[in-house]
């Protein structure tokens, strides 16, 4: 597919703008490691929060939503909507603690929370595992989605798409290595606005096209189950309905996954680039507001334009629209993620094609630049620095590491074949780790061996379940997400045993940690007398209700009835009032 001159002007102009931002903040990002990786700890909440949202919006996100809707209707989005509970937990229970800790990276927390050689080598090992291995896998799956977009949109080969991806990554490396996190965060704001405008425009154009004829016609031409916000539950999902979830899968999503699994952007207790943005804010108040804004924008503002296009794609390419060619239907059935790109290609006129392509490039760049900066922070601050491998040129070394991580990520892109396979690996090999990441802030007895065990045990638990349990139990085990639940149980028992069988963290380290961070919870002789957690739970629950109610208010305005709209608006107003009063009364800020 060829773009018109106007489309190319839009694409090239925006890319040049991103490079100018990198040059603009080059000096600010070159002062020190703190400037390069945390923007000098001076980001206001709206910049840090928008940067969080932009980073979670990658090129693969609308494509993934399209696949979820094709398989399970709107309710399929509970696969990621369920993480809201953990995200709000981070907002009130952990964001102030991350900011108060005064550390450069999340892995530096290991050195101020634990003691001895286990803590030292845990920090070293996690810096390579997370900063290089997991980071490269994340970059790889984001690249695969971007490559799929390029192949369908431009009708290019895989090798040609790889070459374009390399060029795009060079742009991300250039501005992120020049300006550090400050330039990345500022660029994220522009990228998020561009990406959302593009997606909203696409949704309006497609749903109002002659082929669709508006939302009312879309509703009339698709089965009602596609518009249900909540999944249909079956005991073993053996009814043949692809819009149903088994009870076990439901429980793993809603009751377990949000606190048990490490997953990028939704780490239990914070972590990853979320913790990085929290630590980059100028105050504790900004850290909480940034994280709260992220949860609202991530779950309530962004999904519906994607979902509208996804439903249109199901109608157009899923066999419901009589004029669609059998070849296109077959291609969509085999790879439903591409339905979003088919809609872009079919309906966008000149100018808008360039706008939406820029939106996808912006979404891609925001994720890649963050992953590169975040990964480099681990390699430099948590691997090279503790081993005394740095010299005076710390920022220059950070820039070189950023480039090396890009090359590693590009190589991994060429050897992985399945985005869903990477997702499954990350979820299962982090199953059960989440509770340690939560409790290390609230229970003095958690030590370095607890985290080491929780990091290694999921690999063994996943292997045992996959190779020895699942083959010998009925299909219900697999349908009910038994492998994941077994791994969580195995990991939890393992790290609890390790905790009680090993020595606790040295008292001097615990005393220093409590004095600096002032955590609540069970800290024994070092605990604060002001240890009331009640108002934090009120904030947590009311904020969860508020975000879900606002999410469904928008959804019911688009697809529902007046009664549903009024109920959700009532819940949103009530929970918002309770949240505001709780924050004000308890002087959270």
């Amino acid at each position: 597919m060829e773009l018109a001159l106007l489309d190319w002007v839009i694409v090239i102009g925006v890319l040049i703008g991103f490079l100018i931002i990198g040059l603009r903040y080059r000096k600010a990002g070159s002062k020190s490691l703190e400037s390069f990786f945390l923007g000098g700890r001076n980001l206001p909440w709206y910049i840090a929060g928008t940067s969080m949202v932009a980073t979670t919006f990658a090129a693969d996100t609308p494509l993934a939503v399209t696949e979820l809707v094709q398989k399970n209707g709107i309710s399929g989005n509970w696969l990621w909507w369920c993480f809201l509970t953990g995200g709000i937990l981070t907002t009130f229970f952990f964001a102030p603690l991350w900011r108060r800790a005064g550390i450069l990276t999340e892995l530096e927390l290991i050195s101020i929370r634990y003691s001895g050689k286990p803590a030292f080598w845990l920090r070293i090992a996690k810096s390579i595992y997370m900063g290089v291995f997991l980071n490269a896998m994340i970059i790889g799956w984001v690249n695969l989605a971007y490559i799929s977009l390029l192949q369908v949109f431009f009708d290019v080969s895989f090798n040609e798409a790889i070459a374009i991806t390399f060029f795009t990554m060079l742009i991300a490396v250039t501005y992120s290595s020049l300006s550090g996190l400050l330039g990345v965060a500022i660029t994220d704001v522009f990228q998020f606005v561009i990406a959302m405008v593009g997606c909203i425009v696409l949704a309006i154009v497609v749903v109002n096209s002659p082929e669709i004829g508006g939302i009312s016609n879309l509703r009339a031409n698709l089965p009602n189950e596609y518009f249900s916000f909540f999944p249909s539950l079956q005991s073993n999902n053996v009814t043949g309905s692809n819009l149903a979830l088994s009870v076990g899968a439901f429980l793993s999503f809603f009751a377990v996954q949000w606190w048990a699994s490490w997953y990028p952007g939704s780490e239990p207790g914070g972590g990853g680039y979320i913790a990085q943005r929290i630590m980059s804010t100028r105050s504790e108040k900004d850290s909480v507001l940034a994280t709260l804004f992220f949860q609202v924008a991530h779950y309530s503002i962004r999904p519906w334009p994607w979902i509208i296009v996804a439903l249109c794609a199901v109608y157009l390419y899923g066999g419901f629209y009589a004029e669609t060619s059998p070849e296109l239907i077959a291609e969509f059935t085999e790879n439903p993620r591409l339905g979003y790109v088919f809609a872009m290609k079919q309906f966008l006129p000149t100018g808008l094609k360039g706008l939406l392509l820029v939106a996808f490039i912006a979404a891609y760049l925001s994720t890649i630049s963050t992953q590169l900066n975040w990964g480099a922070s681990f390699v430099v601050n948590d691997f090279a620095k503790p081993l005394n491998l740095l010299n005076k040129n710390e920022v220059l070394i950070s820039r070189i590491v950023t480039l090396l991580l890009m090359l590693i990520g590009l190589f991994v892109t060429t050897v992985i074949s399945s985005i869903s396979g990477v997702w499954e690996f990350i979820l299962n090999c982090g199953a059960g780790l989440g509770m340690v990441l939560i409790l290390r802030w609230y229970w003095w007895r958690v030590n370095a061996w607890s985290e080491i065990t929780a990091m290694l045990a999921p690999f063994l638990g996943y292997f045992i379940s996959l190779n020895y349990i699942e083959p010998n139990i009925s299909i219900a085990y697999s349908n009910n997400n038994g492998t994941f639940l077994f791994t969580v149980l195995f990991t939890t028992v393992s790290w609890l045993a390790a905790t009680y069988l090993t020595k606790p963290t040295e008292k001097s380290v615990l005393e220093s940690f409590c004095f600096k961070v002032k955590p609540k919870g069970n800290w024994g002789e070092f605990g604060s007398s002001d240890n009331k957690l009640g108002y934090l739970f009120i904030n947590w629950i009311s904020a969860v209700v508020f975000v879900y109610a606002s999410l469904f208010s928008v959804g019911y305005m688009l697809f529902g009835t007046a009664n549903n709209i009024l109920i959700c608006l009532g819940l949103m107003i009530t929970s918002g009032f309770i949240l505001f009063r709780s924050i004000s009364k308890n002087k959270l800020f």
Side-chain angles (χ1 to χ4, degrees):
M1 174 183 178
E2 294 183 2
L3 295 180
L5 177 61
L6 177 60
D7 296 312
W8 281 117
V9 169
I10 293 171
V11 172
I12 295 172
V14 170
L15 292 178
I16 291 174
F18 295 156
L19 292 175
I20 290 173
I21 292 174
L23 290 170
R24 166 67 177 79
Y25 292 99
R26 178 176 59 84
K27 289 185 179 180
S30 302
K31 295 178 181 178
S32 63
L33 286 183
E34 185 175 89
S35 298
F36 191 80
F37 291 125
L38 290 183
R41 300 186 195 271
N42 198 37
L43 294 185
W45 66 267
Y46 49 89
I47 297 292
T50 304
S51 183
M52 294 179 192
V53 188
T55 299
T56 57
F57 182 175
D60 67 308
T61 317
L63 277 63
V65 168
T66 304
E67 182 175 2
L68 293 174
V69 170
Q70 188 269 347
K71 291 182 177 179
N72 291 92
I74 293 175
S75 66
N77 287 281
W78 279 103
L79 180 67
W80 63 281
W81 285 349
C82 68
F83 283 114
L84 169 67
T85 309
I88 297 295
L89 193 76
T90 297
T91 301
F92 296 107
F93 284 81
F94 300 102
L97 303 181
W98 281 113
R99 183 61 182 80
R100 212 175 292 154
I103 51 183
L104 188 66
T105 66
E106 63 172 294
L107 297 186
E108 193 174 335
L109 174 68
I110 293 170
S111 296
I112 69 170
R113 173 61 180 84
Y114 306 135
S115 58
K117 289 185 178 180
F120 177 83
W121 290 112
L122 172 62
R123 182 179 176 186
I124 297 295
K126 291 192 76 170
S127 69
I128 298 301
Y129 175 66
M130 296 179 67
V132 179
F133 177 70
L134 280 182
N135 194 32
M137 294 188 70
I138 295 168
I139 290 173
W141 99 45
V142 172
N143 281 349
L144 276 185
Y146 187 60
I147 288 168
S148 297
L149 168 71
L150 294 172
Q151 286 181 286
V152 175
F153 204 74
F154 291 109
D155 295 321
V156 297
S157 67
F158 180 81
N159 289 336
E160 290 171 327
I162 280 282
I164 298 172
T165 301
F166 174 73
F167 173 75
T168 314
M169 290 184 80
L170 278 179
I171 295 175
V173 167
T174 300
Y175 73 74
S176 62
S177 62
L178 283 175
S179 59
L181 182 67
L182 180 59
V184 170
I186 298 298
T187 308
D188 280 346
V189 174
F190 290 98
Q191 289 167 343
F192 176 67
V193 172
I194 293 170
M196 283 309 302
V197 168
C199 290
I200 291 171
V201 167
L202 178 65
I204 293 172
V205 169
V206 175
V207 80
N208 290 299
S209 66
E211 290 84 350
I212 301 295
I215 286 180
S216 58
N217 281 340
L218 181 64
R219 286 223 58 171
N221 289 306
L222 278 179
N224 285 332
E225 58 225 46
Y226 278 99
F227 297 92
S228 173
F229 294 173
F230 299 93
S232 171
L233 296 182
Q234 306 293 339
S235 59
N236 291 317
N237 194 17
V238 294
T239 64
S241 171
N242 67 333
L243 300 182
L245 279 176
S246 66
V247 174
F250 174 87
L251 290 175
S252 68
F253 292 159
F254 294 91
V256 180
Q257 189 165 290
W258 64 268
W259 61 262
S261 280
W262 185 96
Y263 190 78
S266 301
E267 297 87 347
Y273 53 80
I274 301 301
Q276 185 188 37
R277 299 307 191 275
I278 290 171
M279 294 183 289
S280 71
T281 55
R282 59 191 178 188
S283 67
E284 288 182 37
K285 177 181 179 180
D286 283 276
S287 73
V288 174
L289 289 177
T291 316
L292 182 59
F293 172 77
F294 164 58
Q295 307 303 332
V296 174
H298 181 56
Y299 293 99
S300 298
I301 297 175
R302 295 191 318 175
W304 292 111
W306 304 338
I307 291 172
I308 289 172
V309 176
L311 289 167
C312 292
V314 171
Y315 170 67
L316 290 168
Y317 315 118
F320 296 96
Y321 184 59
E323 296 184 24
T324 303
S325 68
E327 293 79 14
L328 196 55
I329 293 173
E331 193 172 354
F332 177 70
T333 303
E334 182 179 354
N335 192 353
R337 302 170 65 86
L338 298 180
Y340 199 94
V341 190
F342 293 159
M344 290 171 55
K345 193 173 181 179
Q346 179 176 346
F347 292 100
L348 291 179
T350 299
L352 290 184
K353 279 189 174 70
L355 173 64
L356 199 72
L357 182 59
V358 161
F360 268 83
I361 293 174
Y364 170 78
L365 286 173
S366 64
T367 301
I368 291 297
S369 59
T370 288
Q371 291 298 145
L372 292 173
N373 185 269
W374 172 74
S377 72
F378 285 178
V379 175
V380 174
N381 188 68
D382 302 299
F383 179 78
K385 194 172 183 179
L387 293 175
N388 297 316
L389 299 177
L390 294 181
N391 54 29
K392 294 181 180 179
N393 298 316
E394 292 179 336
V395 174
L396 176 60
I397 293 173
S398 300
R399 287 170 173 157
I400 294 172
V401 170
T402 302
L403 177 61
L404 291 175
L405 289 178
M406 183 206 82
L407 296 175
I408 294 172
L410 195 65
F411 169 75
V412 170
T413 304
T414 64
V415 297
I416 62 176
S417 59
S418 169
I419 296 175
S420 60
V422 176
W423 286 354
E424 183 180 355
F425 172 82
I426 289 177
L427 280 173
N428 281 283
C429 291
L433 170 62
M435 188 52 69
V436 172
L437 303 182
I438 290 173
L439 290 179
R440 64 184 178 178
W441 293 97
Y442 286 90
W443 184 28
W444 70 275
R445 193 61 180 82
V446 172
N447 60 24
W449 286 110
S450 308
E451 194 163 330
I452 291 171
T453 305
M455 180 180 169
L456 297 176
F459 291 92
L460 180 58
Y462 184 43
F463 177 81
I464 292 172
S465 180
L466 206 60
N467 292 279
Y468 296 100
I469 299 179
E470 188 170 312
N472 297 306
I473 297 185
S474 69
I475 191 66
Y477 182 81
S478 177
N479 286 340
N480 284 283
N481 218 1
T483 295
F484 173 79
L485 296 173
F486 172 82
T487 306
V488 170
L489 178 61
F490 180 86
T491 302
T492 303
V493 172
S494 298
W495 76 256
L496 281 172
T499 300
Y500 285 107
L501 291 172
T502 55
K503 294 181 180 180
T505 301
E506 294 175 5
K507 287 187 176 182
S508 59
V509 174
L510 289 174
E511 184 176 15
S512 174
F513 178 78
C514 289
F515 179 78
K516 185 176 186 178
V517 179
K518 299 177 179 59
K520 300 181 184 299
N522 181 11
W523 290 94
E525 60 187 285
F526 308 114
S528 169
S529 57
D530 177 22
N531 202 22
K532 296 179 181 179
L533 293 171
Y535 78 93
L536 291 180
F537 280 99
I538 293 173
N539 294 341
W540 177 34
I541 295 169
S542 58
V544 168
V545 174
F546 174 80
V547 177
Y548 276 136
S550 59
L551 168 68
F552 295 132
S553 292
V554 176
Y556 283 127
M557 287 177 188
L558 292 169
F559 302 112
T561 62
N563 288 339
N564 290 330
I565 295 171
L566 291 175
I567 291 171
C568 287
L569 286 175
L571 285 172
M572 185 177 72
I573 293 170
T574 303
S575 58
F577 176 76
I578 294 172
L579 177 62
F580 176 78
R581 286 296 302 270
S582 176
I583 291 175
S584 302
K585 183 177 180 181
N586 291 283
K587 298 180 180 180
L588 181 62
F589 304 137

